[in-house]
Amino acid sequence: VRRGYQVYKEVCAACHGMNRIAFRNLIGVAYTEAEGKAIAESTEVNGDPDELGNPTKRPAVVADIFPEPYKNEQEARYNNAGALPPDLSLVVRARDEGEDYIFSLLTGYDEAPHGMEVRTGLSYNPYFPGGLIGMPPPLVDGMVEFEDGTPATVSQMSRDVTTFLTFTSY
């Protein structure tokens, strides 16, 4: 779960929110209370408006949910070629085949079959319904450095983030 959270935070959170998960959900499962507090405090969330009504930011506390990557749906779609990245809070429960689907999706990017047209902004993934997905391959070997020294292969990161997403879904 700990490595999976790291993959989520360093890779997935750039586009995908988790609007049902608070920092406190990490405590006692993947992190100590002190570590959970430190993770929260290192994250900025929206604060109360200032006296002029302008938005402010503040360090998160463990009761805060993970911040959303975009201000609104329009910004999310604009930055993702019209696609809306799904919230990942319950994604394992929301998909047929659950964690097997998530792992297969993350590791299943490939060249499109001969004769299949792949429009700009789409990638071929046989595990995605229809085979064309708006998310480019999100993982590359070595893109994360795990504190326990585990090699960060695409397969390992996929397994770890799938474990984390299974934890958050139940």
Side-chain angles (χ1 to χ4, degrees):
V1 173
R2 187 176 181 116
R3 287 194 313 259
Y5 170 70
Q6 183 180 349
V7 175
Y8 167 76
K9 182 179 178 186
E10 293 183 22
V11 181
C12 310
C15 299
H16 296 274
M18 294 191 87
N19 64 22
R20 294 178 181 261
I21 307 301
F23 292 99
R24 70 173 164 241
N25 297 117
L26 300 173
I27 296 172
V29 176
Y31 295 94
T32 65
E33 187 170 348
E35 289 171 323
K37 286 181 180 180
I39 290 168
E41 290 170 358
S42 71
T43 306
E44 274 196 344
V45 295
N46 293 326
D48 292 330
D50 66 16
E51 61 277 353
L52 298 175
N54 297 315
T56 63
K57 294 284 187 181
R58 64 170 174 78
V61 296
V62 295
D64 286 318
I65 61 169
F66 295 175
E68 292 294 320
Y70 302 106
K71 294 176 193 159
N72 52 49
E73 182 179 329
Q74 292 79 5
E75 182 184 41
R77 287 185 185 280
Y78 177 80
N79 284 292
N80 291 283
L84 181 62
D87 181 87
L88 298 181
S89 302
L90 304 173
V91 70
V92 171
R93 282 194 335 195
R95 298 294 188 265
D96 289 340
E97 305 301 323
E99 58 195 282
D100 290 337
Y101 170 77
I102 302 300
F103 179 82
S104 297
L105 182 75
L106 292 172
T107 59
Y109 287 86
D110 205 351
E111 294 294 321
H114 179 73
M116 182 179 207
E117 180 184 339
V118 179
R119 296 187 322 268
T120 301
L122 297 178
S123 296
Y124 176 72
N125 190 315
Y127 297 99
F128 189 75
L132 298 176
I133 184 170
M135 178 174 72
L139 302 172
V140 176
D141 287 343
M143 71 186 305
V144 170
E145 188 172 326
F146 292 125
E147 64 186 39
D148 67 1
T150 299
T153 63
V154 169
S155 180
Q156 184 65 55
M157 290 182 288
S158 298
R159 199 173 359 247
D160 291 337
V161 78
T162 298
T163 298
F164 173 69
L165 295 174
T166 301
F167 160 72
T168 64
S169 290
Y170 291 94

